[in-house]
Structures are given as C-alpha cells and as structure tokens.
Amino acid sequence: MSGNNNEERYTNHRSDKDKQLLLNRLKKIEGQVRGIHKMVENDRYCVDVMVQISAINAALKKVGFAMMEDHVNHCVADAIKTGTGEETITELMQVIKQFNKS
C-alpha cells in the first residue's frame, strides 16, 4: 500500500463473476511462478525460464489493466460525479506511472 487510507474509499462494485475471473487469473499466475521455481531448481535452460517469466509478466499486466479499467469505470467516475475527481485522478496518474515502470 502507498500509505493512504484507501480502505475508507473501498466500494464493492465488482460482481462475483468479475471477482472470480480475477482470482482465477491470479491462481494461474501463482501456478506459473511455482513452475518457474521448479524450473530453476531443476536447472532448466535459461531461455525456457525467461519465456515463462515473460508469460507471467504479460499475465500480471493483463490483471493490472483489468483492475485499472474497473477502477476508472467505477471509482474514478464516481469520484468525478461527487466532486472529488481531481484527487482520484491524481492518484490514478501516480499508479499509472508506477505501473509503467516495469
């Protein structure tokens, strides 16, 4: 966490289906990370490991973009409607900058 008290602003707008899709993606990523761990333990060819790392990075970005889209469509849109959009947009821009560092 960045230190802000984001729990106060938490809104439960994600449907059970959408939440389950995100959780399933994250479980798949967990499995991929465990697979890489085994690959390293078994001294697998470096290129094979790097290909798997690339796949995990892509999967994480996909989850991140899905969450970002959800955040914009709900949290940011709601903040703009209630007059607190400027702070929320500033926060979003900071997260986007951080997201793109990798």
Side-chain angles (χ1 to χ4, degrees), residues 82-99:
T82 62
T84 59
E86 191 172 319
E87 177 186 342
T88 305
I89 290 169
T90 299
E91 178 185 57
L92 174 63
M93 293 310 299
Q94 289 173 344
V95 170
I96 290 171
K97 288 174 187 174
Q98 184 176 355
F99 196 77

Side-chain angles (χ1 to χ4, degrees), residues 35-80:
I36 289 175
H37 187 270
K38 286 182 182 182
M39 291 174 80
V40 171
E41 279 182 339
N42 296 327
D43 293 321
R44 291 280 303 271
Y45 184 54
C46 296
V47 171
D48 293 341
V49 176
M50 290 186 293
V51 166
Q52 291 305 310
I53 290 171
S54 177
I56 289 171
N57 282 332
L60 280 171
K61 281 199 177 231
K62 190 172 183 179
V63 169
F65 280 121
M67 295 211 60
M68 193 178 306
E69 181 178 19
D70 184 56
H71 180 65
V72 169
N73 288 327
H74 295 282
C75 303
V76 176
D78 289 346
I80 291 169

